[in-house]
Every structure is written in structure tokens, then in C-alpha cells.
Amino acid sequence: MANTDSVNIRVLSLNCWGIRYVSKHTAQRYAMIGDMLCKEEHDVVLLQEVWSEKDYLFLKKKLACSHPHSHHFKSGVIGSGLAIFSKHRIHETFLYRYSLNGYPYMAQHGDWFGGKAVGMAVLKFGSLTANVYVTHLHAEYCRDKDSYLPHRVVQAWELQQFVRHTSVGADVVILGGDLNMHPQDLGNRLLLSYTGLRDSYLEAAKFDGCENGMTLVADNPFICKKELAPFEKGIRIDYILFKGSSKTDVYCDFMSTTKGSVPDHPFPYSDHEALTSVLRLETERDGPRTSKNPDSAAGKLAELVDIVTEARTEVKVGLHCAERMRYTASRTGVMGLALLFLELAIAAVPWLALGAEQPFPRTSFYLLAALCFAILTATALLYVFYTTELKSLQGAEDQMRLAVGSLQEKLRGFPLALPHDAHLRPPPAGQGPEE
Amino acid sequence: MANTDSVNIRVLSLNCWGIRYVSKHTAQRYAMIGDMLCKEEHDVVLLQEVWSEKDYLFLKKKLACSHPHSHHFKSGVIGSGLAIFSKHRIHETFLYRYSLNGYPYMAQHGDWFGGKAVGMAVLKFGSLTANVYVTHLHAEYCRDKDSYLPHRVVQAWELQQFVRHTSVGADVVILGGDLNMHPQDLGNRLLLSYTGLRDSYLEAAKFDGCENGMTLVADNPFICKKELAPFEKGIRIDYILFKGSSKTDVYCDFMSTTKGSVPDHPFPYSDHEALTSVLRLETERDGPRTSKNPDSAAGKLAELVDIVTEARTEVKVGLHCAERMRYTASRTGVMGLALLFLELAIAAVPWLALGAEQPFPRTSFYLLAALCFAILTATALLYVFYTTELKSLQGAEDQMRLAVGSLQEKLRGFPLALPHDAHLRPPPAGQGPEE
């Protein structure tokens, strides 16, 4: 211990539920959130659902002293809703927009308009480079028949790709946000296994907060209890994840969540609970550690292969569904076109038989024509939309296939060879990557 | 030299101009391209504008022996058009979609529908990890009045971010593609300065190809000479860029381009020329090199600050333009709405004065109403589109502001302190990142 430098970092993550004119008591809640953040002075604050630029600017003004550095990630029609406030200078930011995010015609769910994404900020804690990520995945509206599952799995896939590929040079990696996934959900397992990120709640030496670390609790007055069923007490879908590097060890000394009510206030900060993790970063002065257990590495790889294969299956289900929807859209479009031709033909008969009286009432004629055009426009837009969805799903499926091939090859290198030598051996016949 | 391992890698990049039913002689040209690739056996082949899945599958079948590994990057409505073929196993791929890519109503230019992106593939050359990127930026249709310039600058910005952040762990970085930028264009300078990538054409020890390395030559029968004006002979807009790492030095021993005509064939491979670079990767066995000249590093940083500032100005121009367009769209929409109300009012007068004759001819009434609805729909869609464009431009501008602040702080650390210590000194008053 004498040979290590230690830094403590406090991180907060909160879904602010900041839908103007829809969310309840938005202004008062932002004032409460601002007061709390000002007082608590976390090193890094990761917020979701800060949909309005005005609300972000309100917080920015309020936190000018405690958190002089901030960034609001912009994306889509109404923004990504993601914001970061920091005591430490933000050196850079980068945004990755998920390729899939629900359906535009599901306006009541609204996710599509939000431009869901993962935002990254590069900070420095002393001499340590930290990559901090904030994200918000597509909501789950019905657990039994979750039509958005393939979209969320693809989002989790892209999230792990983004984090893994962009965090190679970082000493510390922190990810906070509303993942809309239960701890054992496929997307969550995919994210944690592939990136090596660890869950603050599971790792915390000490925890103070809602039972089972729940972040969406049934007692919250803003929550419709019916929607939580069959989870009577609540669910855990918000996370603060972290990992270190060869240079730095990270430990979670303490984790807490808010517990619904706020003293001296009639309602809580949001419909979600806020999470706070106290992370201890330890840097060994003697240089990078080298500890690897090939057996456990092989076991983890095998588990990862299973998880990616499961994700691939889920994406394939989404592919079939999108293909069926596109087919329905095109069939409806063809029917609209046929109806239009039929109408024109009926109208044309007396016109061709010069002088004959027009039997088609004018009003009905125009209304029917307008209906046909509406059907054609809607189905054309849907066709284009489903084509885009198909491309994204196929793309993710292709990437997963390649990844599984590569992981399996690596796995074949255990325990005889080290992972980075695995590529030197030819794969067994019939097991090429293009299977 | 005795202490280094050396590997030679041959890379090809070609924009295939593969728009089905629009491009000329597509099938024959793909057959020619396939024959050439099969014979030449490049290590890595980076293709752009492979729009059709069928054409990709045709090439995949044809190159099954020479290039057993391949990936077609899927995105947008008709795909990204990007493909990679490799002699070496592709371990992973990842796709970043640019946030801006032209306008959907500019259908004659078609870029918007293409889902332009940058694709990344992780390969291994022996023990070296190589990150290979392929991309295609928005075309330039009129150099004097280039309304797409802000979009292309934002694409170049996102491209450099993606390459820089995802390539930290790579021993070798290779980027090939049709950048649609001249060598001295802002986007190109931004990409090269920020990432440290080097231009094969400028670095090649030996070059054989079109004059000045041009890749879009006036003699090409598929090119409209008028569009090239004022560049009579042609322009250089396709590139193969590369860089090494602390572990690996990369040199370009030879570079060539095709020269328009192909022996025994009546037309060339494409409207672009194909580029081939022979890269020599040298790994020092004694471990990483450490050579840094603080003076030249400071000079480069200062140059980078200027370039990012220039890019920020260009994005601001785009912002003003998008704001104006959105304003025009909303004004037109309001006028459409006013027209509809006026029409309804005129029609309602006789209806209210019961029994009076309807002075409005039915046909005109319905046609006018349809026109109003069409105006309203179109302007609503445009308003949404311009809002998305504004968000993306604002996002890029925010990121550039942060980056300039961070770079300037780094710069203030020269030559007294090394760059990685710069953050320890407080910035001078009034120069915070939020200026």
C-alpha cells in the first residue's frame, strides 16, 4: 500500500424525467436537483432525460461554482437528454447515436424522437485519464411482450462496442445511466462481460439505499404501480459501472441511492432514484501489474461466446419481425394503389363515353382519392423505415457473427497458447468466419 | 535494422460507383474489379459505393479464395456502400454513422439516402493489431457555392474523433476511402492534424500513377468534364492514410493509381481511380521508442488550434444557414395554415347563412384544401429535419469549443511542462472552457 497513490471520486447518476409539460413539477424538481448537486459537490454528475436546453442552462447556471465544467449532448429531434457536470475540466466529448431506437409511429412511447445515444467525456483526475460515459437505453414498456427487446439488445451491443473501442487508452472507465435493463437481462450481461465493467452496487463495500439497490421503486408517487408488475417493490435499472486498467485499480468503497422522499419537500427528485458511488482509484507507482489467470480467462471467454450467441438469436427474432412488418406495409401500399386505380377507372368510364352523366359523387371521389394518397404515403414511409431497421439489425447480426468467430478462435488457443497468439493457428476446417 | 521485424502490407481503395440502373456497365465493371482483385491479391481491399448487396455477394464469391474474409457495412436506407475484403481474418467490425449527410429533398444528389458512415475492422498482421477504416464523405457538387461544406466538415470532425478514440490500442492504423476533399481542404487538414495520419501519396518513396496522384481524372469516360472545372485535368479526393504507434513504424514504399483505361477492356473500373499503397510495418524488438520534440509538438498543437477554430467557424455558418431554412419552413407552414383557415371561412359563410348557394366550386375547394395539407405536411417534415440538423451542428460546435479550450490549455504547458502535466496548472482568468 505504501507504493500506491490513491484518489477518491464521487459519481452521481440520475434520470431527471424532464419532459416539459408532461412530467410533473419539472421546475420545482430541477430546483431541488440543483440544490442537492450544489451541496453534495460530486466530482462527476451524469444526468439523463434533461430534454430541454432551458433546464440544462438552469442547472449550468446553478452549478457554476460547484461544477464549472459541463456538456449537454445534442442529438435527434429533441436531443439525447444526456448531460454531464464535472468539477474537473472536460477535455473532450464524443457522441455515438444508436442505430435503432424504437418506432416513430409509437408516439405515445416517444423514445424514437429522443435520439438516444451514449455520450463520452474525457476527464483528468490528477494524472489519470478517465473516460466517462453517460447513456439511456430504450425503455421497456411491457416485460412479457417486449417488442423493443431486439432494439435494446442492439443498443447494448453498440454501447459495449463503443466503450470497449474508445476506452483502451483510459486509466479509469466510468459508465452511468438508465440502462432500462434488469441486472440479469441479456443486454446487461452482454455489456458487463464484453467490456469488463463492474457494477457499483455489487462491488460496493458498503451500501445505503433502497432494498436490493432498486432505482425505480413502487412507493415513488410519480410511478404507475401497474407498470412495475410483477415486481411489486420495484426494479433496478440504473447503474454506475466502472473499471480500472493495467495502471490503475478501482474499488467502490460506498454506494447509495436516494430513498424516494426528500426532507422538507413534498415529492422526490424524479421518478427514478439517484445513485452515488464513491470510487477509490489506486495507481501503482512501480508500473503496470501483470496478473492473468488463463483458466478464468478461458471461462469468461466461453461465457461471452454464449452471451453473444444469445444476443444474435434475439437480433434474428427482430429481423424476422421487421421483415414481416415491411411485407405488411408493402402489401397495404399495393392495396392502396389498386384502390386508386379502381376509382380512376370507374370515374373514367362515363368520361370516355362522352357526354354520359358522371355517376361518381364528387365529394366521395375526392375523399376516396385523398384516402388512397394517405395510405400510399404512410406505407411508403413505413417501408423506408423498416428497410433502415432491417439494415441496422442485419449489420449488428453480421458484427456478432464475426465477433463469435473471433472469440471462438481465441478460445481454441487456451490453455496451450496465450490469447494474443491464437490467431497464428489456422481454424479447424469448416469453421471459417463466414459460416 | 537488425533488431526490427518487418512486414509488407498492400492496401487497395476504390470507389466502385455501383449505383444499380444508374451507373454505366455496372455488371461488367464489377467483373473486371473482381478479376483484378483476385489476381493482385492485396492484403486489404477497401471499397466504397458497393450499394447493392447482390454486387457485394458477387465479389465475395469471386474473391472467396484470394480474400476469404469480408464485411459489408450496413446503414441507412440503401446501405453505407462500404465493404472490406481481407486476406487476414477480420476479428471485429464497428460502424459509426455520421450525424449529418445532406438533405433528403436533394434526391438528385442522393447522398442522404446512403447512410454515409465510417466502418472499422480489427485485423491482425502477424502479431500486430491493425485498425482499418473505410469511409466515404458527402460529395462536393459545386466548389464555388458548396452548400454541403458544413456537413462535410462535421463528417471530417466525427471521422477524426472516431479514428482517434478507437485506435489507441492499435499498432497500425490504416484509413482508405473517398473523402471528397482536396488535399488542402479544411476537413482534410483537420483529419490529418488531429489524428496524426499520414498521406500515402505524399509519403510514398516511389509513385506510379496519374499526374499529381489524381483519382478523379478528366479523361475518364464516365466523368462529366464540366463538373471538374476549374480543375482541367482532374482532382485528388481518394486517399490511403496510415500511422504507426509507439511499437511500430510504418513506411510507404510504393504507391500507385490506375490510369483510367484497363488493358483489353473498353472502359475503366470506375469513375474513380483505384489506389494501391505498399506499407512496410517495422516493429522494434527492444520495446517502444520514445522520441518527442517539444518544440515541434507545440507547433503542431498551435496549428491544430487554428484548424479546429476554422472548422468551428464553418460549422457556425452552417448553423446560421440551418436556422434560416427552419425559419423559412415554419413561415411557409404558417402561411399554408392561414390559407386553409381562409378557405374554410369562405366556405362556411353560405353554410352559416342557411340555404344560401355555395359560391365555392367544389373541385377548387378540394384541390385547394389538398394543397394546404401538402404544404403543412412538407413544412412540418422540413421543420423536424432542420431541427435535427441544428442539433447535430450545435453538438459539433460544442465539442469543438471544448477541444479548442483543452488544446489551448495544453499549449500553455509548453515548453515549461510536458503536455500531460498541463492540466495541473489553473487556466488564466477569463479563459475557462465555457467562454
Side-chain angles (χ1 to χ4, degrees), chain A residues 34-105:
Chain A
D35 287 337
M36 182 260 286
L37 295 178
C38 225
K39 196 184 113 203
E40 293 280 341
E41 291 200 353
H42 304 86
D43 291 273
V44 180
V45 174
L46 304 172
L47 302 180
Q48 302 95 51
E49 292 215 25
V50 185
W51 295 118
S52 160
E53 180 84 9
K54 275 185 195 154
D55 292 328
Y56 164 73
L57 293 173
F58 166 81
L59 284 180
K60 185 173 162 165
K61 201 173 160 189
K62 191 142 192 164
L63 304 180
C65 291
S66 61
H67 298 87
H69 309 283
S70 68
H71 186 75
H72 194 204
F73 292 95
K74 292 173 185 75
S75 155
V77 187
I78 49 169
S80 69
L82 306 172
I84 173 170
F85 288 88
S86 167
K87 279 168 80 174
H88 309 262
R89 177 186 267 267
I90 298 174
H91 286 267
E92 272 192 80
T93 58
F94 186 27
L95 187 72
Y96 181 89
R97 292 158 188 85
Y98 298 125
S99 62
L100 289 172
N101 189 34
Y103 304 97
Y105 53 82

Side-chain angles (χ1 to χ4, degrees), chain A residues 6-12 43-44 46 125 130 132 172-175 198-201 203-204 240-244 249-255 276-282:
Chain A
S6 180
V7 187
N8 273 329
I9 296 292
R10 288 173 67 230
V11 183
L12 176 135
D43 291 273
V44 180
L46 304 172
F125 301 140
V132 178
V172 186
V173 179
I174 298 169
L175 187 154
R198 283 141 60 205
D199 186 342
S200 275
Y201 173 71
E203 301 275 332
I240 293 176
L241 311 174
F242 65 90
K243 69 172 178 179
D249 281 321
V250 184
Y251 303 94
C252 182
D253 285 339
F254 178 63
M255 194 194 168
T276 304
S277 291
V278 182
L279 303 176
R280 177 163 41 91
L281 320 181
E282 296 210 334

Side-chain angles (χ1 to χ4, degrees), chain B residues 18-259:
Chain B
I19 317 169
R20 283 215 161 198
Y21 316 116
V22 173
S23 303
K24 286 171 193 157
H25 311 295
T26 318
Q28 295 100 309
R29 288 191 295 107
Y30 270 116
M32 286 162 59
I33 292 170
D35 287 337
M36 181 261 286
L37 295 177
C38 224
K39 197 183 114 203
E40 293 280 341
E41 291 198 355
H42 303 86
D43 290 273
V44 179
V45 174
L46 304 171
L47 302 181
Q48 303 95 51
E49 292 214 25
V50 184
W51 297 118
S52 160
E53 181 84 8
K54 275 185 196 155
D55 291 329
Y56 164 73
L57 293 174
F58 166 81
L59 284 181
K60 186 173 163 166
K61 200 174 162 190
K62 191 141 190 167
L63 304 181
C65 292
S66 61
H67 299 86
H69 309 283
S70 67
H71 186 75
H72 195 204
F73 292 95
K74 292 173 185 73
S75 157
V77 188
I78 49 169
S80 69
L82 306 172
I84 174 169
F85 288 88
S86 166
K87 279 168 81 173
H88 310 262
R89 178 187 265 267
I90 298 173
H91 286 268
E92 272 193 80
T93 58
F94 186 27
L95 188 71
Y96 181 90
R97 292 158 189 83
Y98 298 125
S99 62
L100 289 172
N101 189 35
Y103 304 98
Y105 54 82
M106 297 299 270
Q108 78 277 25
H109 291 167
D111 294 67
W112 187 83
F113 296 91
K116 294 264 170 79
V118 46
M120 169 179 123
V122 180
L123 311 181
K124 295 258 187 186
F125 302 140
S127 64
L128 298 176
T129 302
N131 277 21
V132 178
Y133 301 85
V134 55
T135 192
H136 185 190
L137 302 196
H138 196 293
E140 181 184 81
Y141 295 97
C142 170
R143 196 163 174 82
D144 290 334
K145 266 184 103 177
D146 182 14
S147 55
Y148 299 113
L149 183 57
H151 284 213
R152 208 178 306 103
V153 169
V154 171
Q155 290 186 340
W157 172 257
E158 291 176 350
L159 174 59
Q160 69 77 15
Q161 283 186 312
F162 184 69
V163 171
R164 205 156 39 86
H165 289 299
T166 56
S167 67
V168 176
D171 300 310
V172 186
V173 180
I174 298 169
L175 186 155
D178 175 2
L179 300 185
N180 271 313
M181 301 187 289
H182 296 221
Q184 281 309 308
D185 280 1
L186 172 59
N188 211 35
R189 283 181 285 133
L190 186 65
L191 174 63
L192 295 183
S193 321
Y194 225 143
T195 57
L197 284 167
R198 283 142 61 207
D199 185 342
S200 275
Y201 173 70
L202 300 177
E203 300 276 332
K206 214 180 129 195
F207 174 77
D208 178 35
C210 296
E211 201 183 328
N212 301 321
M214 290 181 310
T215 59
L216 212 61
V217 293
D219 294 342
N220 190 302
F222 300 133
I223 283 182
C224 166
K225 273 179 197 166
K226 249 201 258 168
E227 281 176 16
L228 278 181
F231 304 94
E232 278 174 28
K233 288 188 172 174
I235 51 179
R236 184 159 82 93
I237 58 172
D238 298 79
Y239 300 84
I240 294 177
L241 310 174
F242 64 89
K243 70 172 178 179
S245 61
S246 62
K247 189 175 149 193
T248 312
D249 282 319
V250 184
Y251 304 93
C252 182
D253 285 339
F254 179 63
M255 194 196 169
S256 65
T257 71
T258 50
K259 297 172 191 171

